[in-house]
Amino acid sequence: MPQSFREPIAKSPMLWIFIGRIIHSLQPVPMKPMNAPEHKPAATAPPGGHASAAARPLDAVADYYTQKLRRFGATPLGVDWPNRPNQALRFVQLLKLCDFSQPRTLNDVGCGYGALRALLSQRHRRARIDYRGTDVSEAMVAAARRRWRHRAGCAFEVAAGATRLADYCLASGIFNVKLDCPLPAWEALVARTLADLQRHSRLGWAVNFIVPPVPGQASPPELYRPPPEHWLAHLAQHQPGAEVTLLRGYGLHEYTLLVRPPAAAASQTLLNQ
């Protein structure tokens, strides 16, 4: 996700970047190390560009990522991440929730072109996983279906959330880009999404957020960067008894929440004894 919202925190030597055509008329483009935030304010939308996020936030988000896909194709840049290792590192944190020692069902909310399915194939080759990805962008779902059309136990749907009950629900980067949606409306949407993930997960769910800016650091208003305490308090109130694990310090300017419902958390405790 949001590579285009890049913040001026750390920059590496200038490199030439070629993505299908020469970008910016052969001007060198500054690149960042993998652990720096990948975000900068979005450019003015072209005619017929992003819908009003304030009125229809998910329509605007769908349009935003559809445009990224059209520009960069089914690549990390196409879902606004800078490169494959950066994208994969986020998936690895989310997958720390999952136990694939037996057959599992998994919902990938905000699946994009299905990059998580590729990582599962690489890192969990022997796992028996019934995978279903959902995304608000029709173009993303079409790309994912083309890419995985021959893969058994793999399906994609256009939807804002999970469409079935599964063992696990994972969502990577779906809250980061709010565009011009007012903060209260965006946080209400995040809260509804977390409740939806809980309802559609038997064993647990996981999400990630960008960390807040440090004091004195400018941050594009199009980004959503809550402190972890905000959503930890929300979960304590609205999902009491759940086991919540906070992951941070893994080399990216973000954090991950792993959430197990009370029954699943109790079972996990017994297994660990």
Side-chain angles (χ1 to χ4, degrees):
M1 277 190 169
Q3 159 70 2
S4 65
F5 291 94
R6 185 179 300 161
E7 295 186 36
I9 298 176
K11 298 186 179 181
S12 63
M14 307 293 278
L15 299 173
W16 296 101
I17 295 181
F18 293 85
I19 307 286
R21 61 182 179 81
I22 301 175
I23 305 230
H24 297 309
S25 303
L26 298 180
Q27 293 299 312
V29 180
M31 297 295 289
K32 265 195 327 285
M34 188 177 71
N35 65 341
E38 305 82 17
H39 318 295
K40 67 180 179 182
T44 302
H50 309 318
S52 170
R56 301 182 304 278
L58 291 183
D59 287 351
V61 169
D63 182 58
Y64 175 86
Y65 286 106
T66 294
Q67 292 187 34
K68 290 294 174 183
L69 180 68
R70 288 172 179 167
R71 182 177 181 185
F72 298 111
T75 67
L77 284 172
V79 287
D80 233 0
W81 294 131
N83 52 57
R84 188 166 285 107
N86 186 291
Q87 182 185 48
L89 183 55
R90 291 173 164 86
F91 291 154
V92 169
Q93 309 313 311
L94 296 168
L95 288 169
K96 289 178 179 179
L97 173 77
C98 304
D99 172 13
F100 294 132
S101 62
Q102 57 183 292
R104 298 298 190 194
T105 51
L106 187 150
N107 294 330
D108 181 8
V109 178
C111 64
Y113 58 86
L116 176 60
R117 177 62 265 185
L119 186 120
L120 289 170
S121 298
Q122 295 165 4
R123 290 177 169 259
H124 300 279
R125 295 181 181 179
R126 297 184 179 181
R128 290 168 289 174
I129 303 170
D130 184 329
Y131 169 99
R132 182 176 298 181
T134 57
D135 202 282
V136 294
S137 166
E138 293 183 9
M140 286 290 183
V141 170
R145 286 172 174 168
R146 286 193 299 271
R147 188 180 190 192
W148 298 103
R149 61 188 180 276
H150 300 306
R151 178 82 188 198
C154 182
F156 297 90
E157 297 182 34
V158 178
T163 59
R164 66 167 183 180
L165 181 65
D167 294 317
Y168 301 110
C169 287
L170 308 182
S172 181
I174 66 172
F175 304 127
N176 296 350
V177 180
K178 71 180 187 66
L179 301 175
D180 65 352
C181 182
L183 181 60
W186 190 254
E187 290 197 326
L189 185 150
V190 174
R192 291 194 299 271
T193 302
L194 299 185
D196 183 73
L197 292 171
Q198 188 273 332
R199 284 193 299 270
H200 288 88
S201 304
R202 277 187 287 262
L203 301 180
W205 53 271
V207 296
N208 48 30
F209 296 92
I210 312 173
V211 297
V214 298
Q217 176 191 29
S219 182
E222 296 89 348
L223 296 180
Y224 180 59
R225 306 183 63 170
E229 293 78 12
H230 177 85
W231 291 108
L232 289 173
H234 174 89
L235 293 173
Q237 178 180 358
H238 295 277
Q239 297 187 30
E243 176 189 281
V244 183
T245 302
L246 171 64
L247 303 179
R248 53 185 169 184
Y250 47 86
L252 299 175
H253 287 255
E254 66 167 50
Y255 57 92
T256 298
L257 299 179
L258 311 180
V259 184
R260 294 180 176 88
S267 298
Q268 187 67 33
T269 300
L270 291 174
L271 289 174
N272 293 335
Q273 291 178 349

